[in-house]
Amino acid sequence: VGYMYNKILIMVYVPLIESEFDIYVPTVKKVGTIKKLIMQIIEERSDKNFEDDGTRKLYYKLTGEEVDDKLFVRDSNLENGSRIILY
């Protein structure tokens, strides 16, 4: 149970494949690191319909603002239930 305190659940929408994924991400990692993790998960779950081409970015769904890759998740505006777009 304790490990869940270091994770948050975010909803990631991927317009390219018109799909949304609920993904738990660790708050103690940098956004750039979890972005790679998110892309691996989506590649697997989409039967390779989505591939990481190295140019993908994360955006807050409500504001359209880019999520800074250099920030730790806990220092970003990401929180439990956040909706983001992977584009």
Side-chain angles (χ1 to χ4, degrees), residues 5-16:
Y5 290 116
N6 296 327
K7 291 190 175 196
I8 56 171
L9 178 64
I10 59 173
M11 278 65 101
V12 183
Y13 177 65
V14 187
L16 203 65

Side-chain angles (χ1 to χ4, degrees), residues 3-84:
Y3 73 93
M4 292 306 287
Y5 290 116
N6 296 327
K7 291 190 175 196
I8 56 171
L9 178 64
I10 59 173
M11 278 65 101
V12 183
Y13 177 65
V14 187
L16 203 65
I17 56 172
E18 297 180 346
S19 299
E20 190 169 74
F21 302 88
D22 293 342
I23 300 175
Y24 280 100
V25 297
T27 58
V28 295
K29 301 263 188 212
K30 288 199 172 179
V31 171
T33 304
I34 66 135
K35 182 171 72 174
K36 289 183 188 119
L37 179 75
I38 288 169
M39 286 190 281
Q40 286 173 344
I41 290 168
I42 292 172
E43 277 183 23
E44 288 171 20
R45 289 194 198 166
S46 71
D47 297 323
K48 300 278 189 234
N49 287 328
F50 173 86
E51 288 186 22
D52 177 13
D53 64 2
T55 65
R56 307 281 177 217
K57 297 192 182 308
L58 295 174
Y59 299 92
Y60 296 103
K61 194 167 185 178
L62 288 176
T63 64
E65 185 184 347
E66 187 179 335
V67 185
D68 188 341
D69 280 355
K70 295 184 263 339
L71 289 178
F72 282 95
V73 172
R74 66 172 177 259
D75 299 329
S76 72
N77 288 333
L78 290 173
E79 54 191 34
N80 214 26
S82 284
R83 302 177 85 80
I84 59 174

